[in-house]
Amino acid sequence: MDKKKLEHAKRIERLITRRYLTAVLIIALLSTGAFVALKSALNDSDSTALVVNISGKQRMLSQHIALDVHRIHRERFRNDYSENLYYINSIRSRVAEMVAANKRLSSGSLAENQVMPLSEIVRDMYFGEMNLSQRVNDYTHLALKIIAAETFDQSEKVIEQIDQVSEGLLVDLNKVVFQYQKEGEDRLELISDMETFLLLFTLFTLMLEVLFIFRPMAKSVLNAEKKVSEVLNSLKDQVELRTIKLEQANQKLLEAASHDPLTGVKNRLTMEEDVGDTIQAFKSHQQDFGLVMLDIDWFKSVNDQYGHDFGDAVLVEFAYILEQHVRSSDQVYRAGGEEFVLLMNRISLKELMKRMKSLGDYIQSHSFKSKGKVINVSASMGVFHSSLLSGFDFQLALKLADSALYEAKSLGRKQVVLAHSDKSS
């Protein structure tokens, strides 16, 4: 009898031992699987943040390259060799960066030992109908032609070609950035679903262990559950931290894409969208508005005499003055170089001209100071108002304002000139 009890006890002991080892093995597999899966997801999140950063920088480089092409064209035929050489070196550097970024993005090789396979949508953007990879290479090759141009006509032709493709390329680069952001958000959502699944599966397994393993196993099961919970909570904290960093990076990229990095005011890309909305509001509700182009007079001489650092300080302070002299409903943009644009909402022609003349007087009386240097500048303004024409779009309004600005300069600068509707043809 004792022998049978001993054999039974040993059999129970072996059974308990097998179940205990099975329970431990299950817990170990679940913990390892959760760690490996979420670690992989975190690495994927890092790759997503990097690819969004690279694509956002590529988008910004396309704008700077177009601007450098115009600068080289302008400075070359002013016979300013030092200024022209500066912009030539600048465009070469930016072209090299953009080519490298395009190669990394189109191949998925983001960095050493960091490869991110392209999704079908992104691959189609780079190599399908949009053919963005080849277009970026063609764009950079075209931009470098400005350096080899020997005549005004050759240089002018490059300018025309750059202007034709730069806007469309910028729009498509913007689409790629938003696609990468969307895919990153989808991956974060997948991580969240994976967390939920792993947590539920773990709890279900633990419940089965409690039901089918004897009471002596209860303590071991609870300890194992606690360990799994700690691992999951630790990984969850890391995922949340990476999520916050990714959101912050996305916000900075959006801010950089819509604002001028030097002055902090909105850039030309944002201007076209805002003016388009304002024109639509005018057509629907007859809310008059004004579009004003401003140019700091003789700004090149400021750079030549005082240096580019002082010139940048003048631009920053000039942008600040514009922001202080417009209403909260108005907008200030930097179109490029020393040229700015004001979008004046819900304003009559009479009030608009009055405000611009007052602004011009203030600018002339203001002293621009930086690092012990003090100068005074003036500004020429070209003014377009919605009451001048019965039908117009953004391009026409900007063209009329630009023509008025040119007339202001021709009249000796320091002028506020209203656009003529007869120049709309």
Side-chain angles (χ1 to χ4, degrees):
M1 186 69 178
D2 291 341
K3 186 177 180 180
K4 288 184 177 180
K5 286 183 178 181
L6 181 60
E7 290 177 354
H8 180 67
K10 289 182 177 180
R11 192 164 54 247
I12 292 176
E13 180 181 359
R14 287 194 298 270
L15 180 62
I16 291 175
T17 301
R18 285 196 299 268
R19 292 186 177 184
Y20 177 81
L21 291 176
T22 301
V24 171
L25 179 62
I26 292 174
I27 294 299
L29 289 175
L30 285 173
S31 300
T32 303
F35 178 82
V36 171
L38 292 181
K39 181 67 175 177
S40 176
L42 285 173
N43 291 336
D44 200 21
S45 177
D46 285 342
S47 297
T48 299
L50 179 58
V51 78
V52 170
N53 181 53
I54 295 173
S55 60
K57 184 176 181 181
Q58 184 184 49
R59 176 179 57 187
M60 181 178 64
L61 285 170
S62 71
Q63 295 177 278
H64 284 301
I65 287 173
L67 185 58
D68 283 344
V69 168
H70 280 270
R71 286 171 171 168
I72 292 172
H73 174 69
R74 181 188 63 192
E75 299 301 332
R76 171 176 292 166
F77 296 102
R78 289 184 180 179
N79 294 322
D80 191 334
Y81 176 79
S82 61
E83 192 78 359
N84 193 39
L85 183 60
Y86 170 82
Y87 290 130
I88 287 175
N89 291 333
S90 174
I91 197 172
R92 283 175 173 162
S93 174
R94 286 168 174 163
V95 162
E97 285 187 71
M98 190 170 185
V99 170
N102 184 48
K103 183 178 180 181
R104 293 166 71 187
L105 292 171
S106 61
S107 66
S109 298
L110 305 181
E112 186 176 358
N113 298 325
Q114 189 170 5
V115 178
M116 181 176 179
L118 303 182
S119 66
E120 289 297 323
I121 296 177
V122 173
R123 182 177 297 278
D124 185 67
M125 285 181 169
Y126 277 107
F127 302 105
E129 183 177 351
M130 188 181 292
N131 198 20
L132 194 56
S133 176
Q134 184 61 44
R135 287 169 59 198
V136 169
N137 288 334
D138 292 342
Y139 180 75
T140 54
H141 179 71
L142 175 61
L144 291 176
K145 287 184 177 180
I146 193 68
I147 301 175
E150 297 180 352
T151 66
F152 181 87
D153 290 340
Q154 291 176 348
S155 183
E156 189 73 12
K157 184 177 180 181
V158 174
I159 291 291
E160 292 175 358
Q161 292 174 334
I162 282 290
D163 289 343
Q164 287 174 359
V165 300
S166 60
E167 289 295 332
L169 180 62
L170 180 60
V171 170
D172 288 341
L173 289 174
N174 203 43
K175 291 179 181 178
V176 172
V177 173
F178 283 113
Q179 179 60 31
Y180 280 131
Q181 291 174 349
K182 179 181 180 300
E183 292 179 5
E185 292 168 357
D186 291 343
R187 289 188 181 94
L188 292 177
E189 185 176 354
L190 179 61
I191 292 173
S192 178
D193 293 340
M194 188 183 300
E195 279 186 336
T196 302
F197 172 79
L198 289 172
L199 181 60
L200 292 176
F201 186 75
T202 302
L203 293 175
F204 177 74
T205 304
L206 292 174
M207 183 182 68
L208 292 179
E209 291 176 352
V210 171
L211 291 174
F212 297 103
I213 298 179
F214 300 113
R215 288 185 178 181
M217 298 290 299
K219 186 176 181 179
S220 299
V221 171
L222 292 175
N223 289 336
E225 183 181 12
K226 182 179 180 180
K227 290 180 180 179
V228 172
S229 179
E230 289 175 351
V231 171
L232 291 175
N233 287 335
S234 176
L235 292 173
K236 182 178 179 180
D237 291 341
Q238 293 182 45
V239 170
E240 290 177 349
L241 179 61
R242 297 294 176 85
T243 301
I244 292 173
K245 290 182 177 180
L246 180 60
E247 290 175 348
Q248 291 174 344
N250 289 341
Q251 185 60 38
K252 289 180 179 179
L253 286 173
L254 290 174
E255 186 73 14
S258 60
H259 287 72
D260 174 53
L262 176 63
T263 62
V265 300
K266 292 183 175 181
N267 60 21
R268 187 182 183 92
L269 180 63
T270 310
M271 174 184 68
E272 185 167 351
E273 181 178 347
D274 290 349
V275 176
D277 292 341
T278 301
I279 292 175
Q280 189 60 42
F282 168 74
K283 293 178 179 178
S284 301
H285 308 292
Q286 295 301 306
Q287 297 175 351
D288 279 328
F289 71 93
L291 193 65
V292 183
M293 295 191 70
L294 305 88
D295 192 281
I296 302 176
D297 295 328
W298 308 112
F299 185 73
K300 182 180 181 300
S301 63
V302 175
N303 279 333
D304 292 341
Q305 185 174 354
Y306 298 98
H308 287 281
D309 288 343
F310 184 81
D312 287 346
V314 171
L315 289 173
V316 172
E317 190 169 354
F318 187 83
Y320 177 78
I321 291 173
L322 297 182
E323 289 184 309
Q324 294 300 308
H325 280 76
V326 299
R327 304 160 302 175
S328 60
S329 60
D330 303 326
Q331 299 292 338
V332 179
Y333 310 89
R334 185 184 178 194
E338 67 272 22
E339 190 172 86
F340 292 80
V341 175
L342 302 181
L343 175 59
M344 309 292 289
N345 289 293
R346 299 185 180 183
I347 190 169
S348 66
L349 176 58
K350 181 178 179 181
E351 178 66 16
L352 176 61
M353 295 301 291
K354 178 181 177 182
R355 282 181 172 272
M356 292 304 101
K357 290 179 180 178
S358 174
L359 174 61
D361 291 340
Y362 180 85
I363 291 172
Q364 290 186 57
S365 64
H366 181 77
S367 296
F368 291 81
K369 304 174 182 178
S370 178
K371 297 180 179 180
K373 303 173 184 176
V374 182
I375 67 167
N376 291 91
V377 300
S378 61
S380 299
M381 306 183 199
V383 180
F384 169 81
H385 191 263
S386 55
S387 63
L388 297 176
L389 292 174
S390 59
F392 55 88
D393 56 13
F394 166 75
Q395 297 296 339
L396 180 56
L398 194 67
K399 177 183 176 183
L400 290 174
D402 188 56
S403 297
L405 174 61
Y406 180 79
E407 184 177 345
K409 292 181 178 181
S410 300
L411 293 173
R413 293 177 170 77
K414 303 181 184 180
Q415 305 287 327
V416 180
V417 175
L418 179 64
H420 303 295
S421 59
D422 58 356
K423 291 188 177 182
S424 63
S425 58

